Amino acid sequence: MELVGYHAAESGEDDFAAFTDHHRALLDKRLLTRFYRPATLASAQAKTGWAEPDLAPFPWQDPERKGSRHSSP
């Protein structure tokens, strides 16, 4: 949900079809594996609360992306 919310706020699109056309990666069922190790996703912490990404930062956490708009997650 964090990734969808981030991209929804960035794009400002009202049409779901247009939004998904511009952000196809959000439809990938393996999307979270870009950010988390499998063991982290399977942990009790991730299942009951929040776990920080341990492979790559989310777009809003990445200092190299600050101030730029990207269509990929």
Side-chain angles (χ1 to χ4, degrees), residues 53-73:
D54 56 357
L55 288 179
F58 285 128
W60 60 91
Q61 297 173 323
D62 189 347
E64 293 180 19
R65 289 185 152 186
K66 295 286 184 201
S68 63
R69 298 177 89 179
H70 292 273
S71 60
S72 62

Side-chain angles (χ1 to χ4, degrees), residues 4-73:
V4 172
Y6 169 77
H7 288 293
E10 286 286 300
S11 71
E13 299 210 21
D14 292 331
D15 180 64
F16 182 73
F19 176 77
T20 57
D21 281 346
H22 289 116
H23 303 286
R24 298 220 85 20
L26 294 175
L27 302 175
D28 182 357
K29 67 181 180 180
R30 297 172 307 224
L31 175 61
L32 290 180
T33 63
R34 296 180 188 182
F35 303 97
Y36 293 96
R37 288 181 173 83
T40 303
L41 288 175
S43 72
Q45 175 71 27
K47 290 179 181 180
T48 61
W50 176 258
E52 288 294 324
D54 56 357
L55 288 179
F58 285 128
W60 60 91
Q61 297 173 323
D62 189 347
E64 293 180 19
R65 289 185 152 186
K66 295 286 184 201
S68 63
R69 298 177 89 179
H70 292 273
S71 60
S72 62

